[in-house]
Amino acid sequence: MSTPSIHCLKPSPLHLPSGIPGSPGRQRRHTLPANEFRCLTPEDAAGVFEIEREAFISVSGNCPLNLDEVRHFLTLCPELSLGWFVEGRLVAFIIGSLWDEERLTQESLTLHRPGGRTAHLHALAVHHSFRQQGKGSVLLWRYLQHAGGQPAVRRAVLMCEDALVPFYQRFGFHPAGPCAVVVGSLTFTEMHCSLRGHAALRRNSDR
């Protein structure tokens, strides 16, 4: 089985919609260390899981992905991940995979379907030292532009708790109803987002 190539993102202007804070690096460039956005590799798995565990266990008691699942997705589909590094340190990440059905199912939590046209976002997390700085918003917007620039990917889907629905709506996601996936006693809303507009933004930013 061939291993997918890693697609690194070249630096490009970031066009954020109104209401989403700009990257701190754009506002105070002279006081902040260099920022790097790149796809993740299996070697990043331990750092990813450390951030994920701290972010999710303290809130819900569950991690979207265990360490083996993180490595699994970063091996099969690294191009559907994105990490934000500050001076070489991972501070925020998104992990995704491809899905080939209209709605998410319990299987979608652990499967990558190479023929799918939907990017399923499994987890977005920010290191506790870098929260309340708008990094989650900037990273998600970058990720949607990145995913939308891949010809096979037509839309993005995720599941979230009701309190987070307004956050994701700011990025073009819309509620598709209750998600069929249940984790313990937790229930979720399924959110869908067309990537056509994000792909156009990515093309324009590359010019």
Side-chain angles (χ1 to χ4, degrees):
M1 182 179 297
S2 61
T3 302
S5 59
I6 308 293
H7 304 283
C8 292
L9 301 182
K10 70 179 183 180
S12 60
L14 179 62
H15 305 285
L16 297 174
S18 60
I20 297 176
S23 165
R26 290 165 62 85
Q27 299 170 4
R28 301 188 299 278
R29 192 180 302 274
H30 61 289
T31 62
L32 291 179
N35 294 278
E36 177 190 12
F37 295 86
R38 67 165 173 82
C39 297
L40 299 167
T41 71
E43 288 70 31
D44 297 310
V48 167
F49 185 65
E50 180 182 348
I51 295 174
E52 180 197 20
R53 181 173 54 185
E54 188 279 329
F56 286 93
I57 291 293
S58 61
V59 175
S60 65
N62 293 284
C63 279
L65 302 170
N66 61 40
L67 181 55
D68 286 340
E69 290 167 343
V70 171
R71 289 197 182 103
H72 172 73
F73 286 123
L74 295 185
T75 298
L76 290 181
C77 47
E79 71 279 3
L80 292 168
S81 69
L82 187 62
W84 187 341
F85 293 80
V86 175
E87 290 191 325
R89 176 189 182 188
L90 179 65
V91 301
F93 72 86
I94 293 174
I95 291 182
S97 66
L98 288 179
W99 186 239
D100 60 356
E101 297 183 24
E102 177 63 25
R103 300 292 297 267
L104 297 176
T105 69
Q106 208 73 29
E107 286 186 324
S108 66
L109 297 183
T110 56
L111 293 182
H112 167 60
R113 298 271 179 80
R117 293 187 173 272
T118 296
H120 173 203
L121 282 64
H122 293 273
L124 184 165
V126 178
H127 190 280
H128 64 86
S129 300
F130 293 84
R131 290 178 196 151
Q132 306 302 317
Q133 298 177 21
K135 279 185 163 52
S137 296
V138 173
L139 181 63
L140 179 56
W141 193 251
R142 283 229 178 204
Y143 181 89
L144 294 175
Q145 290 189 47
H146 170 58
Q150 300 184 38
V153 182
R154 302 291 179 83
R155 63 173 187 153
V157 302
L158 57 84
M159 60 186 201
C160 67
E161 296 183 66
D162 291 347
L164 290 173
V165 167
F167 171 78
Y168 287 109
Q169 286 179 313
R170 292 160 57 194
F171 299 87
F173 284 88
H174 62 87
C179 187
V181 178
V182 176
V183 179
S185 61
L186 297 176
T187 58
F188 305 92
T189 296
E190 187 167 324
M191 306 289 288
H192 294 183
C193 176
S194 170
L195 293 179
R196 295 164 117 188
H198 293 281
L201 284 174
R202 176 64 190 275
R203 288 193 297 270
N204 290 336
S205 69
D206 285 344
R207 290 175 182 171

